[in-house]
């Protein structure tokens, strides 16, 4: 079965570039387009229908909610279509900045957002490097960044911060927004984290605590942490708050619908964390936006930024993130965009693969089903597998995953076999994902990565047994064991902030 990756290899481009050519979702140079079309004809490639729907945004990308723009005259908020809303602004940009952004709207929203993402991921980065990675003329980049520099959003790095191979050192561009900061909140099943960061990702402060079983108590502790960070950063203003949660959220990203391992349902997180701060004009108060996102989707945003930073050409291969810790969550990245579904049918979003059945009539799951993937392949499931059908005399289910990994490292056969079984179950689910979505690059992150050396072989063997594993060229690699929780929460809110910048430019035109 010919895949997108096969076409990309023949054409000498990334899979994302092939996707853009097929779906006409981004401008690609004529020469590159010709190479891709030639490779498609040579291989008789037929595009995957699910991938085409995703690329054409039939399934809603995570950044597609209307970006909110503050109206400085009366404190109302306008969405990107110019309709008044009652919510607070993400950007709340002052009038001079809005005027400076006018010329940015000459570029497409997608190109502008991609440029800001690239700057944030690879800063400091030269105009020439931006133009090369985004496949646009350097003059286009110059016109885009001029007003952003004038507005104070971008700054130019000192020449010594970048090294050129020949000639005069290039000037690097970095994001700059020193008067505001963002709050990220990761509500985990066991531990929760609250952190403050600048737009460029620099952490300013962080707290963590054991997650209370009661949702009201947990949100009360989150709010207390936020207030302490505000006091610590009293010379700056909160721009927005991003919250990563262990379960699906509503389409508006304000509520946690269901957290199986916590037993929480319909928790109004945005309402509970509502904060007002003085507007820039100091004449009225504005409400700080709170964006609530599923932790796997947030982690996919975090992984995307890491990969974008290391990308040589600015393109990202399509990939699926499998985050395995207490449970299993799945995030999907197509053409550089993270997708989450449209939130219809009661709010069910794309990516709830952790609760697909892999063992009919199997172990009961916290979600109410039996035989769910995460009951066999998550880090938390390792303790019960280690103990067998009865509790092990040494504590059984009280064992942590890292304890089992430590025993495997010490040579204990029982621990090693347990991790191999985890890998086998993990591979079964990943094979299903590859078969169902037609995306052949998988990144596994979360606590399961601590045992990767024992998990990897059986995982690959399980994928190889599937039809997709036999017919397609696929890749499964490990990501980060930690960091994606709080990092993902910050990515959620900063990504929305960048989308608001783009919408601001459009509305100012």
């Amino acid at each position: 079965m010919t895949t997108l990756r096969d076409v990309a290899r023949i054409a000498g481009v990334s899979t994302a570039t092939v996707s853009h050519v097929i779906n006409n979702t981004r401008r690609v140079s004529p020469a590159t387009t010709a190479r891709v079309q030639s490779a498609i004809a040579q291989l008789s490639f037929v595009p995957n229908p699910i991938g085409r729907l995703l690329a054409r945004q039939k399934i809603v990308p995570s950044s597609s909610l209307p970006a909110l723009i503050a109206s400085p005259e009366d404190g109302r908020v306008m969405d990107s279509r110019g309709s008044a809303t009652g919510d607070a602004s993400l950007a709340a940009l002052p009038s001079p900045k809005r005027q400076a952004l006018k010329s940015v709207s000459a570029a497409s929203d997608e190109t502008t957002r991609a440029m800001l993402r690239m700057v944030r991921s690879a800063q400091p980065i030269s105009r020439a490097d931006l133009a090369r990675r985004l496949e646009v003329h350097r003059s286009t980049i110059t016109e885009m960044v001029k007003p952003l520099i004038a507005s104070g959003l971008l700054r130019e790095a000192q020449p010594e911060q970048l090294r050129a191979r020949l000639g005069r050192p290039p000037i690097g561009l970095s994001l700059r927004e020193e008067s505001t900061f963002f709050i990220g909140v990761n509500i985990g099943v066991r531990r929760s984290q609250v952190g403050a960061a600048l737009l460029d990702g620099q952490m300013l402060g962080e707290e963590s605590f054991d997650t209370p079983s009661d949702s009201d108590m947990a949100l009360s502790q989150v709010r207390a942490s936020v207030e302490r960070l505000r006091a610590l950063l009293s010379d700056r203003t909160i721009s927005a708050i991003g919250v990563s949660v262990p379960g699906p959220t509503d389409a508006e990203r304000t509520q946690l619908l269901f957290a199986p391992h916590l037993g929480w349902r319909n928790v109004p997180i945005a309402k509970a964390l509502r904060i007002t701060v003085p507007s820039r004009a100091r004449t009225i108060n504005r409400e700080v936006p709170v964006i609530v996102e599923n932790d796997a989707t947030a982690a996919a945003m975090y992984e995307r930024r890491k990969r974008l930073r290391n990308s040589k050409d600015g393109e990202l291969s399509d990939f699926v993130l499998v985050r395995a810790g207490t449970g299993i969550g799945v995030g999907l990245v197509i053409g550089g965009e993270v997708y989450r579904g449209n939130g219809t049918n009661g709010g069910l979003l794309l990516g709830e693969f952790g609760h697909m059945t892999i063992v009919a009539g199997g172990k009961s799951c916290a979600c109410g089903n039996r035989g769910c993937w995460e009951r066999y392949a998550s880090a938390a499931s390792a303790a019960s597998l280690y103990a067998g059908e009865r509790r092990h005399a040494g504590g059984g289910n009280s064992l942590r995953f890292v304890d089992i990994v430590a025993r495997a490292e010490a040579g204990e056969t029982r621990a090693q076999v347990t991790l191999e079984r985890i890998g086998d179950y993990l591979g079964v689910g990943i094979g299903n994902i590859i078969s169902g979505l037609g995306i052949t690059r998988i990144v596994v992150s979360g606590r399961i990565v601590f045992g990767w050396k024992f998990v990897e072989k059986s995982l690959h063997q399980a994928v190889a047994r599937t039809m997709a594993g036999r017919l397609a060229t696929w890749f499964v690699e490990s990501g980060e064991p930690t960091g994606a929780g709080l990092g993902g929460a910050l990515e959620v809110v900063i990504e929305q902030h960048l989308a608001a910048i783009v919408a601001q430019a459009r509305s100012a035109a």
Side-chain angles (χ1 to χ4, degrees), residues 215-419:
S215 61
D216 290 339
M217 186 178 297
L219 292 175
S220 177
Q221 287 194 231
V222 168
R223 191 178 182 99
S225 291
V226 170
E227 293 298 342
R228 283 191 291 271
L229 289 170
R230 283 183 69 190
L232 179 68
L233 304 169
S234 57
D235 58 330
R236 294 183 171 93
T237 303
I238 294 180
S239 178
I241 300 172
V243 186
S244 170
V245 295
T249 68
D250 64 334
E252 289 74 30
R253 296 198 287 181
T254 62
Q255 295 186 54
L256 167 63
L257 297 178
F258 181 36
H261 295 282
L262 290 170
W264 297 356
R265 286 183 180 272
N266 301 319
V267 182
I269 291 178
K271 181 179 179 181
L273 299 182
R274 186 176 296 159
I275 294 173
T276 58
V277 297
S279 66
R280 292 177 183 267
R282 303 279 176 183
T283 56
I284 57 173
N285 287 341
R286 70 174 180 90
E287 188 174 300
V288 176
V290 181
I291 305 173
V292 185
E293 186 59 272
N294 172 264
D295 56 4
T297 301
M301 292 183 179
Y302 177 82
E303 187 69 32
R304 177 188 62 184
R305 184 192 178 197
K306 283 182 52 190
R307 289 173 176 272
L308 190 60
R309 180 177 66 235
N310 299 327
S311 170
K312 299 298 183 183
D313 58 2
E315 294 285 4
L316 285 174
S317 299
D318 302 340
F319 69 91
V320 176
L321 178 77
V322 175
R323 188 167 187 247
T326 302
I328 292 181
V330 173
L332 179 61
V333 177
I334 299 289
E337 295 288 346
V338 178
Y339 289 84
R340 66 191 303 271
N342 58 19
T344 59
N345 300 319
L348 187 63
L349 303 174
L350 183 72
E352 289 299 322
F353 289 98
H355 295 287
M356 66 179 169
T357 302
I358 66 166
V359 178
K363 298 176 183 178
S364 61
C365 180
C367 75
N369 189 22
R370 300 187 71 89
C372 288
W373 186 25
E374 69 172 37
R375 283 293 283 118
Y376 294 85
S378 65
S381 68
S384 61
L385 285 173
Y386 182 87
E389 295 303 318
R390 58 181 177 79
R391 287 185 175 273
H392 189 55
N397 290 342
S398 65
L399 275 176
R400 299 177 303 164
F401 182 73
V402 291
D403 296 329
I404 296 174
V405 172
R407 295 185 183 192
E409 292 278 7
E412 184 185 293
T413 301
R414 185 187 190 96
Q416 292 174 353
V417 170
T418 295
L419 295 176

Side-chain angles (χ1 to χ4, degrees), residues 66-71 74-79 81-90 254 274-276 284-290:
L68 302 180
I69 308 159
S71 169
D74 57 9
R76 291 180 304 155
V77 174
M78 309 296 287
D79 68 19
R81 298 176 295 274
S83 303
T85 76
D87 295 323
S89 167
L90 279 179
T254 62
R274 186 176 296 159
I275 294 173
T276 58
I284 57 173
N285 287 341
R286 70 174 180 90
E287 188 174 300
V288 176
V290 181

